[in-house]
Amino acid sequence: MRVNVIVNGEQRQTDNVWEGESLLYVLRERLGLAGSKNACEQGECGSCTVYLDGVPACACLVAAGQAEGREVRTVEGLADGENLDPIQESFVECGAVQCGFCTPGLLVTAHDLVARTENPSDAEIREALAGNLCRCTGYEKILDAVRLAAARKEHA
Ligand code: FES
Ligand code: FES
């Protein structure tokens, strides 16, 4: 089947998509957007998180056909050209990236939290990030990065 999706503001089309193929597979293997990571393919780890019509979703759990005509924003679409999004800058500054496998999904999730929650509490940050697993950082630096991005937004 043919699938049309708006990805990071661009209309993209892929042909010969198998019915069971995931949106994650289409993004990574057909459209060359390797930012979203494939770790579990079961909705457990959050490393494949993308915005689907503005709402974070695990791309491994979305059938490509379900994304027909919809808008997807991946981690590649967070930056504005060469300018990183503030959440990306905060992750870099706080040392919240180690192997980086979880990072794209965490960035999308954290980007959403900071956009919709003013001055989030630690409990709100932990709850928002609960679906994103990291094997490296112990989460403290990730929490620091989200706190920093939220504080900067508040004072912007
Ligand atoms: S790869 Fe999608 S949640 Fe783990
Ligand atoms: S930085 Fe390695 S899994 Fe999170």
Side-chain angles (χ1 to χ4, degrees):
M1 87 185 133
R2 171 174 289 179
V3 176
N4 297 284
V5 189
I6 300 162
V7 183
N8 299 330
E10 267 181 54
Q11 184 74 54
R12 306 290 301 264
Q13 187 176 83
T14 53
D15 284 319
N16 303 318
V17 175
W18 173 59
E19 284 179 9
E21 211 167 289
S22 69
L23 173 61
L24 179 61
Y25 186 91
V26 168
L27 292 171
R28 287 180 54 84
E29 309 299 335
R30 293 180 180 272
L31 301 181
L33 292 166
S36 313
K37 295 292 179 277
N38 181 358
C40 73
E41 273 189 296
Q42 295 180 7
E44 297 288 341
C45 72
S47 26
C48 63
T49 306
V50 298
Y51 281 111
L52 182 60
D53 287 341
V55 178
C58 290
C60 72
L61 294 184
V62 176
Q66 288 178 300
E68 171 66 31
R70 298 172 74 181
E71 282 196 39
V72 174
R73 189 177 181 194
T74 68
V75 68
E76 287 93 343
L78 295 187
D80 179 11
E82 294 293 300
N83 299 319
L84 292 181
D85 184 87
I87 191 69
Q88 294 171 308
E89 284 177 347
S90 300
F91 266 62
V92 173
E93 283 176 42
C94 293
V97 180
Q98 288 189 26
C99 82
F101 213 80
C102 67
T103 308
L106 274 163
L107 286 171
V108 173
T109 304
H111 182 272
D112 175 62
L113 173 70
V114 171
R116 67 183 164 75
T117 311
E118 214 169 288
N119 193 18
S121 66
D122 277 5
E124 286 174 313
I125 298 173
R126 284 180 190 279
E127 189 184 344
L129 303 186
N132 292 78
L133 304 183
C134 175
R135 286 180 171 260
C136 306
T137 65
Y139 296 99
E140 266 317 311
K141 291 180 175 182
I142 294 170
L143 294 173
D144 288 346
V146 179
R147 290 183 194 115
L148 178 62
R152 281 184 175 158
K153 181 163 181 238
E154 205 182 335
H155 297 121

